[in-house]
Amino acid sequence: MSDPFEERADDVRVLLETARVPPANADLSRAIEAGGVVRRRRRYAAVAAATVFALAGTAAVGQALDRTEGADRLDVPIGETVTSTPPPFSTCTVAALPAPAGKGRLTGQVVADPTGRYAAAGLVRPDGSVRPVLWTGGEPKVLPAVGTNAEPRAVNSSGVVVGTSATADGGPLAWIYHDGSTVKLAPVDGYEWWTPLAVDEGGDVTGEAWRGVRFAVVSWPHADPLRGPVLLTRPGDVRGSGVGGDGTVVGTRGEGAAPYAWHPDGTGRALDLPPGAAAGQVLAVRGHWAAGWVGLPVEEGPPPAHQVAPRVQGSEPDRRVLDMLGKAVAGGNLVTAPARWDLRTGEVTHWPDLAMPATAVNATGWVAIPGDAGPTVISPAGKLTTLPGPADGYPTALSDDNRRLYGERFPQPPEAGALSTKERAATATGTELLMWSC
């Protein structure tokens, strides 16, 4: 009869021999050192055998061996597989966001929360009315609406949605959806129009109101959305486009399209333009990063044939006011180039070889732009990656973890290539909302 200690030692050797081998890209010096540690520990195998025999798997062997007092500990347990994380956006797929079955067709701009879990847009129903839609993990749900022509403007990581509608007589109406119901936000007295721009994780809503060409930043407290909004800035010639992580509101000042930022204390400052740039506009903000475009003289930018103005979203008053963009690039004197601002330092980075604006940005400084071959993302270091999907995809939201991108496209008739941007929008056969998963 064989010795029981030898049988148990054999069991240990079998388990060790069947442990998974570290991958080929493991650190060789660490593997050699680990092998030395295992050899020194073999003399303790008989002592530890009773405990090892009661455990299953190679991870248990590593734990039992590590109980030896005074022995060197392994940095990586025996049998653990070392894996590497693929670079952001190295593998992506694209799919159309589904419309609620039998409810109508999708419309408007898709907005999303920083995690990418929630997205929202509009739905044109068979009777012509427009309702908001909220996707959770890609599954759509039609939300209750107040007013007509409801358009979501922002959503947070709890699925709280804010947006705009119109009253029966065509007046402005802002709303917030949470806890299964939609309620109106209080009007901004003395102003012609108002719209929410963002809803933070606490549910506080920040937006803007305007009369004529003078704008003010406003806030609707989450605790009492029906209470009158608080004016955060005096009326001026600056309009907002988004709210950063510390409450900084970014926007554009004057008809000359100069990028601008307001701080939570009410003070403001112009954002720098790169050398040679004559204009600019911030279109998106997340955390300490803002993104948009700068206007460069033709000789410093891409060929004039590629000149393009960023798409304008929103209600008709919104489009009318944002016509300042057309004035900035009219006549072929300027061409747009994508740009990114670090709101902490004021540093601006732009890419003069690209013609399209940066339309989305996340908290780590990645930006997304429409590209000639499809949406393109730019890393904080400036590396460009073109994503799969339609060449006319227009990105609108980028998750903080670089795992999800949302956007849209307008299917065009074959003759659309000879039309202007405005004419192409008018002849589009509908809006297709897209989601990239990476």
Side-chain angles (χ1 to χ4, degrees):
M1 181 178 295
S2 60
D3 187 272
F5 284 101
E6 290 182 359
E7 291 180 357
R8 293 173 180 174
D10 286 338
D11 291 334
V12 173
R13 281 193 293 272
V14 170
L15 288 173
L16 288 174
E17 289 170 358
T18 57
R20 287 175 293 172
V21 178
N25 61 354
D27 190 321
L28 183 57
S29 63
R30 290 178 61 190
I32 293 173
E33 179 183 355
V37 172
V38 171
R39 285 194 300 272
R40 291 195 298 272
R41 290 180 176 175
R42 282 179 177 170
R43 65 182 180 273
Y44 298 104
V47 177
T51 303
V52 173
F53 190 76
L55 300 175
T58 59
V61 175
Q63 293 171 0
L65 293 176
D66 276 348
R67 289 176 186 144
T68 305
E69 293 186 5
D72 297 331
R73 298 186 64 85
L74 292 175
D75 291 333
V76 179
I78 296 174
E80 180 175 309
T81 300
V82 179
T83 59
S84 59
T85 302
F89 304 105
S90 58
T91 304
C92 299
T93 59
V94 60
L97 281 173
K103 300 293 186 179
R105 59 180 177 85
L106 300 175
T107 186
Q109 176 179 339
V110 58
V111 296
D113 81 296
T115 70
R117 172 175 170 78
Y118 296 102
L123 176 76
V124 180
R125 299 198 297 178
D127 62 2
S129 63
V130 182
R131 294 277 294 274
V133 177
L134 176 66
W135 287 268
T136 304
E139 293 296 322
K141 175 184 177 181
V142 180
L143 304 183
V146 292
T148 62
N149 298 323
E151 179 184 3
R153 288 301 189 100
V155 57
N156 71 10
S157 60
S158 298
V160 176
V161 185
V162 294
T164 57
S165 297
T167 61
D169 59 0
L173 191 156
W175 50 265
I176 181 171
Y177 166 84
H178 62 92
D179 298 330
S181 62
T182 303
V183 297
K184 292 187 288 187
L185 295 173
V188 185
D189 293 336
Y191 287 79
E192 300 171 13
W193 206 269
W194 47 90
T195 183
L197 297 172
V199 54
D200 67 18
E201 299 311 309
D204 291 330
V205 180
T206 303
E208 66 174 352
W210 63 87
R211 53 174 180 254
V213 293
R214 301 182 70 81
F215 303 86
V217 179
V218 299
S219 174
W220 287 270
H222 171 65
D224 187 4
L226 295 180
R227 192 182 68 188
V230 178
L231 291 178
L232 301 182
T233 65
R234 295 179 180 179
D237 60 346
V238 183
R239 68 156 301 154
S241 58
V243 184
D246 63 350
T248 297
V249 179
V250 296
T252 307
R253 183 167 193 171
E255 292 190 357
Y260 200 82
W262 294 277
H263 300 293
D265 61 4
T267 61
R269 65 184 174 96
L271 298 178
D272 289 341
L273 293 172
Q281 185 180 24
V282 176
L283 299 177
V285 62
R286 172 65 183 152
H288 297 294
W289 298 97
W293 61 270
V294 294
L296 303 173
V298 172
E299 61 272 15
E300 296 186 22
H306 295 286
Q307 177 178 309
V308 62
R311 251 189 79 232
V312 174
Q313 297 286 348
S315 62
E316 188 56 38
D318 215 0
R319 295 186 180 95
R320 174 174 55 81
V321 174
L322 281 177
D323 188 53
M324 66 177 71
L325 175 60
K327 297 178 182 178
V329 298
N333 296 323
L334 296 177
V335 291
T336 58
R340 179 184 61 210
W341 288 266
D342 185 335
L343 298 178
R344 297 164 298 183
T345 64
E347 179 183 7
V348 57
T349 303
H350 76 301
W351 294 270
D353 293 333
L354 303 175
M356 299 294 278
T359 54
V361 64
N362 69 13
T364 57
W366 284 78
V367 299
I369 68 172
D372 291 337
T376 298
V377 291
I378 306 177
S379 73
K383 180 182 177 181
L384 277 67
T385 302
T386 298
L387 303 182
D392 57 349
Y394 190 98
T396 59
L398 179 61
S399 68
D400 285 345
D401 63 1
N402 298 321
R403 299 293 301 275
R404 189 152 288 179
L405 176 73
Y406 290 93
E408 60 201 43
R409 66 183 294 264
F410 294 88
Q412 300 288 335
E415 66 277 9
L419 303 178
S420 68
T421 301
K422 186 174 182 179
E423 290 170 332
R424 286 198 300 271
T427 58
T429 58
T431 304
E432 185 178 33
L433 304 183
L434 304 171
M435 178 178 70
W436 284 261
S437 299
C438 304

